[in-house]
Amino acid sequence: MTGRRRGERGGGELVETIALAWSSLLANRMRSALTMLGVIIGIGAVISMVTIGRGAQLQTESQLKSLGSNLLFVQSGVAPGGGPASRGAGSATTLTWEDAQAIAASVPAVADVAPNLSQRTQVVLADRNTNTTVVGSTPAFVAVRDFLPLSGRFFNQAELNQAARVAVLGQTVVDSLGLTDRSALDRTIRIRGEIFTVIGTLEFKGSTGFRDQDDQVLIPLTTMAARIVGMNTTAGVSVESIAVSARSAEAMEAGEYQITNLLRLRHRIVPPREDDFLIRNQADLVNASNAVANVFTALLGGSAAISLLVGGIGIMNIMLVSVTERTREIGIRRAIGARCSDILRQFLIESTVLSLAGGLLGVLLGVLASMAINSVFGWSAGIALDAVGCSLIFCLVIGVFFGAYPASKAAQLDPMTALRSD
């Protein structure tokens, strides 16, 4: 019974202390609101900045995945330069169409292969023209790159074998030539003086990094080699890159190993000679992108969290002012029996209530800002719930930490000195 009475008395004292702290804050509404403003802005900034970081991360992932599923990119090697500067991967003519055919025929982990040969050139339609990328590939391009026609069709194997002059336009090219998906079909365009018939348009894909995937014209690889860039019949058709689709995500590592060994055999590469090709894994690109995005998100969140610390300093400053203003009140309370722990608890509760109230309003601000950001940029990042939870916990810590010194100072006031103060 005695223990229960002590518990009830302790609970009643706590409720009374909370009520007293709340009434003290309401007595100075404007000052309390301004004190909370730093916390409100800090919490809102943290949540919205984390939302921006994650939205950018999801957007980058989506763009990389739009390239296709389970992709490996095989690029030709680096052409020797005239100085110390490298011309970059893909500048040498070390890969051929025959290499792509060998990969498709001999590598068990591979589902399909699409070699690519491209050139930036002018495409002309009547009185309109545009400078775009013309890409020569094979019918497998559709499956490997997950790039479906929006209208019409893609070129087939017969047209590839016959080096037919047919073309499929990306959406940026369609717009640049003043066409629509329907009106583009069966129109004739000129590429390097050659007449091509438009047989289809590609679905919208968007940009990946600095490259617009829709700013391209697809034609058969044989046509590209024979009529646009020329070909060396003794060496075969040189290609810049080979897009390889693995059978599954688990088969990508095995596919990379098998392709490496196959190309080394075909190109007669033995140590210490370096490979004349480069293989990039789509999963590695996604992981690297995520790592950069995580650092970016952490920097944004950390920068915003600084304003939370500033808000905490503001709370401590106001609480110190409050202790000075209420010295006589503290003396009266001590004189009628309040313990040091009661005074300490009261001021700690006041600082904590200030911080948590600001935190809740900051969460509301951050949620509204996040919804606006997702709406403006068309992102599906949602609300960073973990950032909300961490911010509220941080607010509690700030309230206790920055309120501890003012509360301790109030509790240690000498009652007689406090009563004599004005």
Side-chain angles (χ1 to χ4, degrees):
M1 292 296 291
T2 303
R4 182 182 298 176
R5 287 186 187 136
R6 286 178 180 171
E8 291 174 353
R9 186 168 64 249
E13 289 177 355
L14 179 60
V15 172
E16 182 182 349
T17 304
I18 293 175
L20 183 61
W22 183 251
S23 64
S24 298
L25 294 175
L26 291 180
N28 297 280
R29 289 183 177 85
M30 181 58 70
R31 187 168 68 184
S32 299
L34 292 175
T35 303
M36 290 189 296
L37 190 59
V39 178
I40 293 171
I41 294 173
I43 294 293
V46 168
I47 295 173
S48 56
M49 290 300 100
V50 171
T51 298
I52 289 175
R54 291 184 179 174
Q57 178 178 352
L58 290 176
Q59 184 73 5
T60 304
E61 279 187 32
S62 175
Q63 290 172 349
L64 288 174
K65 290 178 180 177
S66 71
L67 295 173
S69 301
N70 307 324
L71 280 184
L72 296 170
F73 298 97
V74 186
Q75 287 185 288
S76 56
V78 180
S86 168
R87 295 186 184 180
S91 56
T93 55
T94 55
L95 291 177
T96 64
W97 188 6
E98 288 73 16
D99 287 329
Q101 292 170 328
I103 291 172
S106 307
V107 178
V110 166
D112 221 330
V113 174
N116 298 304
L117 178 60
S118 65
Q119 187 175 83
R120 193 85 184 174
T121 189
Q122 210 74 10
V123 174
V124 181
L125 171 69
D127 61 340
R128 304 194 67 158
N129 66 84
T130 182
N131 188 270
T132 186
T133 301
V134 179
V135 181
S137 192
T138 65
F141 180 89
V142 173
V144 173
R145 297 294 302 274
D146 193 22
F147 222 144
L148 301 175
L150 188 61
S151 66
R153 63 179 179 85
F154 205 76
F155 52 83
N156 54 37
Q157 188 64 39
E159 290 165 329
L160 177 70
N161 295 339
Q162 297 165 9
R165 287 179 289 182
V166 292
V168 183
L169 308 183
Q171 288 297 312
T172 300
V173 179
V174 171
D175 295 338
S176 299
L177 295 178
L179 300 171
T180 64
D181 292 310
R182 292 298 177 188
S183 67
L185 299 181
D186 298 323
R187 298 292 295 270
T188 57
I189 59 175
R190 286 184 177 273
I191 305 175
R192 299 287 296 271
E194 299 283 345
I195 297 176
F196 287 76
T197 302
V198 178
I199 60 173
T201 63
L202 295 170
E203 64 181 353
F204 178 80
K205 277 285 189 175
S207 301
T208 54
F210 296 102
R211 183 173 182 273
D212 182 3
Q213 294 189 84
D214 301 307
D215 188 14
Q216 59 181 344
V217 175
L218 272 294
I219 64 175
L221 179 60
T222 48
T223 311
M224 181 71 177
R227 298 183 179 274
I228 305 302
V229 299
M231 67 181 291
N232 186 333
T233 55
T234 59
V237 179
S238 296
V239 296
E240 297 168 353
S241 63
I242 303 171
V244 179
S245 176
R247 296 190 180 277
S248 65
E250 294 74 21
M252 291 180 70
E253 187 174 345
E256 184 174 351
Y257 177 78
Q258 293 165 6
I259 292 170
T260 299
N261 287 337
L262 175 64
L263 291 180
R264 283 174 178 171
L265 287 172
R266 289 183 55 81
H267 296 186
R268 296 181 174 85
I269 298 174
V270 293
R273 182 185 166 193
E274 294 183 356
D275 294 340
D276 59 2
F277 58 89
L278 177 66
I279 301 180
R280 298 184 185 275
N281 190 318
Q282 185 184 27
D284 293 338
L285 294 177
V286 172
N287 292 335
S289 171
N290 286 342
V292 172
N294 288 335
V295 172
F296 175 66
T297 302
L299 287 174
L300 287 177
S303 299
I306 293 174
S307 59
L308 268 178
L309 293 176
V310 174
I313 293 171
I315 289 175
M316 183 170 66
N317 183 45
I318 291 300
M319 293 305 298
L320 285 171
V321 172
S322 180
V323 170
T324 303
E325 290 179 346
R326 294 157 61 186
T327 301
R328 188 171 180 80
E329 173 195 329
I330 294 169
I332 293 172
R333 289 200 63 201
R334 289 295 306 277
I336 61 175
R339 300 184 299 264
C340 290
S341 59
D342 296 328
I343 304 299
L344 180 69
R345 188 186 302 121
Q346 178 187 347
F347 281 89
L348 274 178
I349 288 173
E350 286 185 23
S351 64
T352 304
V353 167
L354 270 176
S355 183
L356 284 179
L360 291 172
L361 292 174
V363 166
L364 178 61
L365 175 64
V367 168
L368 292 176
S370 296
M371 292 172 64
I373 290 167
N374 287 330
S375 176
V376 169
F377 291 100
W379 291 342
S380 57
I383 308 302
L385 296 179
D386 55 342
V388 171
C390 290
S391 295
L392 289 176
I393 293 173
F394 198 39
C395 278
L396 180 61
V397 173
I398 282 177
V400 174
F401 180 79
F402 286 100
Y405 175 67
S408 175
K409 185 176 180 180
Q412 292 172 7
L413 282 176
D414 179 69
M416 297 305 296
T417 304
L419 285 171
R420 286 196 297 265
S421 66
D422 295 329

